[in-house]
PDB file of all heavy atoms in Angstrom:
ATOM      1  N   GLY A 320      22.041  29.277  -1.806  1.00 92.00           N
ATOM      2  CA  GLY A 320      22.850  30.296  -2.417  1.00 92.00           C
ATOM      3  C   GLY A 320      22.021  31.478  -2.923  1.00 92.00           C
ATOM      4  O   GLY A 320      20.870  31.683  -2.499  1.00 92.00           O
ATOM      5  N   THR A 321      22.616  32.251  -3.837  1.00 93.00           N
ATOM      6  CA  THR A 321      21.931  33.459  -4.357  1.00 93.00           C
ATOM      7  C   THR A 321      20.964  33.059  -5.439  1.00 93.00           C
ATOM      8  O   THR A 321      21.229  32.165  -6.258  1.00 93.00           O
ATOM      9  CB  THR A 321      22.982  34.402  -4.938  1.00 93.00           C
ATOM     10  OG1 THR A 321      23.955  34.701  -3.940  1.00 93.00           O
ATOM     11  CG2 THR A 321      22.324  35.678  -5.466  1.00 93.00           C
ATOM     12  N   ASP A 322      19.818  33.718  -5.428  1.00 94.00           N
ATOM     13  CA  ASP A 322      18.781  33.487  -6.462  1.00 94.00           C
ATOM     14  C   ASP A 322      19.346  33.809  -7.823  1.00 94.00           C
ATOM     15  O   ASP A 322      19.704  34.973  -8.094  1.00 94.00           O
ATOM     16  CB  ASP A 322      17.558  34.339  -6.149  1.00 94.00           C
ATOM     17  CG  ASP A 322      16.377  34.007  -7.049  1.00 94.00           C
ATOM     18  OD1 ASP A 322      16.592  33.539  -8.192  1.00 94.00           O
ATOM     19  OD2 ASP A 322      15.225  34.257  -6.623  1.00 94.00           O
ATOM     20  N   PRO A 323      19.510  32.845  -8.750  1.00 93.00           N
ATOM     21  CA  PRO A 323      20.115  33.132 -10.053  1.00 93.00           C
ATOM     22  C   PRO A 323      19.289  34.110 -10.884  1.00 93.00           C
ATOM     23  O   PRO A 323      19.838  34.772 -11.790  1.00 93.00           O
ATOM     24  CB  PRO A 323      20.244  31.747 -10.702  1.00 93.00           C
ATOM     25  CG  PRO A 323      19.208  30.918  -9.990  1.00 93.00           C
ATOM     26  CD  PRO A 323      19.159  31.426  -8.605  1.00 93.00           C
ATOM     27  N   SER A 324      17.999  34.260 -10.622  1.00 94.00           N
ATOM     28  CA  SER A 324      17.204  35.229 -11.387  1.00 94.00           C
ATOM     29  C   SER A 324      17.667  36.644 -11.083  1.00 94.00           C
ATOM     30  O   SER A 324      17.728  37.503 -11.985  1.00 94.00           O
ATOM     31  CB  SER A 324      15.728  35.054 -11.099  1.00 94.00           C
ATOM     32  OG  SER A 324      15.371  35.502  -9.811  1.00 94.00           O
ATOM     33  N   LEU A 325      18.012  36.919  -9.836  1.00 95.00           N
ATOM     34  CA  LEU A 325      18.488  38.261  -9.468  1.00 95.00           C
ATOM     35  C   LEU A 325      19.870  38.517 -10.068  1.00 95.00           C
ATOM     36  O   LEU A 325      20.138  39.625 -10.486  1.00 95.00           O
ATOM     37  CB  LEU A 325      18.527  38.374  -7.944  1.00 95.00           C
ATOM     38  CG  LEU A 325      17.163  38.165  -7.215  1.00 95.00           C
ATOM     39  CD1 LEU A 325      17.360  38.324  -5.721  1.00 95.00           C
ATOM     40  CD2 LEU A 325      16.124  39.124  -7.723  1.00 95.00           C
ATOM     41  N   VAL A 326      20.691  37.473 -10.057  1.00 93.00           N
ATOM     42  CA  VAL A 326      22.015  37.664 -10.683  1.00 93.00           C
ATOM     43  C   VAL A 326      21.881  37.955 -12.167  1.00 93.00           C
ATOM     44  O   VAL A 326      22.517  38.803 -12.727  1.00 93.00           O
ATOM     45  CB  VAL A 326      22.848  36.356 -10.486  1.00 93.00           C
ATOM     46  CG1 VAL A 326      24.184  36.469 -11.248  1.00 93.00           C
ATOM     47  CG2 VAL A 326      23.109  36.109  -9.008  1.00 93.00           C
ATOM     48  N   ALA A 327      20.945  37.214 -12.842  1.00 93.00           N
ATOM     49  CA  ALA A 327      20.758  37.418 -14.278  1.00 93.00           C
ATOM     50  C   ALA A 327      20.209  38.833 -14.590  1.00 93.00           C
ATOM     51  O   ALA A 327      20.640  39.469 -15.554  1.00 93.00           O
ATOM     52  CB  ALA A 327      19.750  36.374 -14.817  1.00 93.00           C
ATOM     53  N   ILE A 328      19.314  39.340 -13.771  1.00 93.00           N
ATOM     54  CA  ILE A 328      18.790  40.692 -13.961  1.00 93.00           C
ATOM     55  C   ILE A 328      19.862  41.737 -13.784  1.00 93.00           C
ATOM     56  O   ILE A 328      19.992  42.692 -14.579  1.00 93.00           O
ATOM     57  CB  ILE A 328      17.592  40.945 -12.987  1.00 93.00           C
ATOM     58  CG1 ILE A 328      16.373  40.065 -13.355  1.00 93.00           C
ATOM     59  CG2 ILE A 328      17.202  42.417 -12.990  1.00 93.00           C
ATOM     60  CD1 ILE A 328      15.279  40.061 -12.331  1.00 93.00           C
ATOM     61  N   ALA A 329      20.704  41.535 -12.740  1.00 93.00           N
ATOM     62  CA  ALA A 329      21.791  42.491 -12.533  1.00 93.00           C
ATOM     63  C   ALA A 329      22.767  42.491 -13.724  1.00 93.00           C
ATOM     64  O   ALA A 329      23.253  43.548 -14.154  1.00 93.00           O
ATOM     65  CB  ALA A 329      22.534  42.134 -11.245  1.00 93.00           C
ATOM     66  N   LYS A 330      23.064  41.302 -14.232  1.00 92.00           N
ATOM     67  CA  LYS A 330      23.978  41.213 -15.403  1.00 92.00           C
ATOM     68  C   LYS A 330      23.350  41.896 -16.607  1.00 92.00           C
ATOM     69  O   LYS A 330      24.062  42.557 -17.397  1.00 92.00           O
ATOM     70  CB  LYS A 330      24.275  39.744 -15.738  1.00 92.00           C
ATOM     71  CG  LYS A 330      25.186  39.067 -14.746  1.00 92.00           C
ATOM     72  CD  LYS A 330      25.480  37.624 -15.164  1.00 92.00           C
ATOM     73  CE  LYS A 330      26.469  36.951 -14.245  1.00 92.00           C
ATOM     74  NZ  LYS A 330      26.730  35.545 -14.645  1.00 92.00           N
ATOM     75  N   ALA A 331      22.032  41.746 -16.811  1.00 92.00           N
ATOM     76  CA  ALA A 331      21.379  42.393 -17.963  1.00 92.00           C
ATOM     77  C   ALA A 331      21.390  43.906 -17.856  1.00 92.00           C
ATOM     78  O   ALA A 331      21.592  44.600 -18.878  1.00 92.00           O
ATOM     79  CB  ALA A 331      19.960  41.871 -18.077  1.00 92.00           C
ATOM     80  N   ILE A 332      21.245  44.429 -16.663  1.00 92.00           N
ATOM     81  CA  ILE A 332      21.348  45.891 -16.478  1.00 92.00           C
ATOM     82  C   ILE A 332      22.744  46.373 -16.697  1.00 92.00           C
ATOM     83  O   ILE A 332      22.984  47.378 -17.352  1.00 92.00           O
ATOM     84  CB  ILE A 332      20.840  46.262 -15.048  1.00 92.00           C
ATOM     85  CG1 ILE A 332      19.338  45.945 -14.909  1.00 92.00           C
ATOM     86  CG2 ILE A 332      21.130  47.717 -14.761  1.00 92.00           C
ATOM     87  CD1 ILE A 332      18.827  46.172 -13.488  1.00 92.00           C
ATOM     88  N   ASP A 333      23.762  45.618 -16.141  1.00 91.00           N
ATOM     89  CA  ASP A 333      25.141  46.012 -16.347  1.00 91.00           C
ATOM     90  C   ASP A 333      25.516  46.005 -17.836  1.00 91.00           C
ATOM     91  O   ASP A 333      26.196  46.921 -18.318  1.00 91.00           O
ATOM     92  CB  ASP A 333      26.070  45.065 -15.588  1.00 91.00           C
ATOM     93  CG  ASP A 333      26.042  45.292 -14.083  1.00 91.00           C
ATOM     94  OD1 ASP A 333      25.513  46.328 -13.699  1.00 91.00           O
ATOM     95  OD2 ASP A 333      26.517  44.420 -13.350  1.00 91.00           O
ATOM     96  N   ALA A 334      25.083  44.989 -18.563  1.00 89.00           N
ATOM     97  CA  ALA A 334      25.378  44.925 -20.001  1.00 89.00           C
ATOM     98  C   ALA A 334      24.787  46.104 -20.751  1.00 89.00           C
ATOM     99  O   ALA A 334      25.438  46.672 -21.645  1.00 89.00           O
ATOM    100  CB  ALA A 334      24.862  43.616 -20.556  1.00 89.00           C
ATOM    101  N   ALA A 335      23.565  46.519 -20.372  1.00 88.00           N
ATOM    102  CA  ALA A 335      22.981  47.670 -21.055  1.00 88.00           C
ATOM    103  C   ALA A 335      23.685  48.940 -20.688  1.00 88.00           C
ATOM    104  O   ALA A 335      23.876  49.811 -21.532  1.00 88.00           O
ATOM    105  CB  ALA A 335      21.483  47.765 -20.648  1.00 88.00           C
ATOM    106  N   ASN A 336      24.111  49.079 -19.441  1.00 87.00           N
ATOM    107  CA  ASN A 336      24.812  50.314 -19.009  1.00 87.00           C
ATOM    108  C   ASN A 336      26.154  50.446 -19.747  1.00 87.00           C
ATOM    109  O   ASN A 336      26.602  51.569 -20.000  1.00 87.00           O
ATOM    110  CB  ASN A 336      25.063  50.262 -17.490  1.00 87.00           C
ATOM    111  CG  ASN A 336      23.788  50.504 -16.708  1.00 87.00           C
ATOM    112  OD1 ASN A 336      22.848  51.105 -17.230  1.00 87.00           O
ATOM    113  ND2 ASN A 336      23.753  50.065 -15.469  1.00 87.00           N
ATOM    114  N   LEU A 337      26.763  49.319 -20.049  1.00 84.00           N
ATOM    115  CA  LEU A 337      28.036  49.413 -20.777  1.00 84.00           C
ATOM    116  C   LEU A 337      27.829  49.946 -22.190  1.00 84.00           C
ATOM    117  O   LEU A 337      28.781  50.404 -22.845  1.00 84.00           O
ATOM    118  CB  LEU A 337      28.656  48.013 -20.883  1.00 84.00           C
ATOM    119  CG  LEU A 337      29.249  47.474 -19.564  1.00 84.00           C
ATOM    120  CD1 LEU A 337      29.738  46.052 -19.749  1.00 84.00           C
ATOM    121  CD2 LEU A 337      30.393  48.384 -19.095  1.00 84.00           C
ATOM    122  N   GLN A 338      26.571  49.931 -22.671  1.00 74.00           N
ATOM    123  CA  GLN A 338      26.222  50.481 -23.985  1.00 74.00           C
ATOM    124  C   GLN A 338      25.490  51.784 -23.857  1.00 74.00           C
ATOM    125  O   GLN A 338      24.727  52.170 -24.720  1.00 74.00           O
ATOM    126  CB  GLN A 338      25.375  49.475 -24.763  1.00 74.00           C
ATOM    127  CG  GLN A 338      26.061  48.133 -24.969  1.00 74.00           C
ATOM    128  CD  GLN A 338      25.241  47.213 -25.810  1.00 74.00           C
ATOM    129  OE1 GLN A 338      24.751  47.615 -26.865  1.00 74.00           O
ATOM    130  NE2 GLN A 338      25.059  46.001 -25.360  1.00 74.00           N
ATOM    131  N   GLY A 339      25.719  52.494 -22.758  1.00 68.00           N
ATOM    132  CA  GLY A 339      25.137  53.789 -22.593  1.00 68.00           C
ATOM    133  C   GLY A 339      23.703  53.765 -22.100  1.00 68.00           C
ATOM    134  O   GLY A 339      22.937  54.698 -22.364  1.00 68.00           O
ATOM    135  N   GLY A 340      23.348  52.675 -21.417  1.00 57.00           N
ATOM    136  CA  GLY A 340      22.020  52.604 -20.839  1.00 57.00           C
ATOM    137  C   GLY A 340      20.972  52.016 -21.789  1.00 57.00           C
ATOM    138  O   GLY A 340      19.762  52.146 -21.526  1.00 57.00           O
TER     139      GLY A 340
END
Side-chain angles (χ1 to χ4, degrees):
T321 304
D322 188 333
S324 71
L325 301 180
V326 174
I328 291 170
K330 287 182 176 179
I332 293 174
D333 286 346
N336 286 338
L337 289 174
Q338 301 185 48

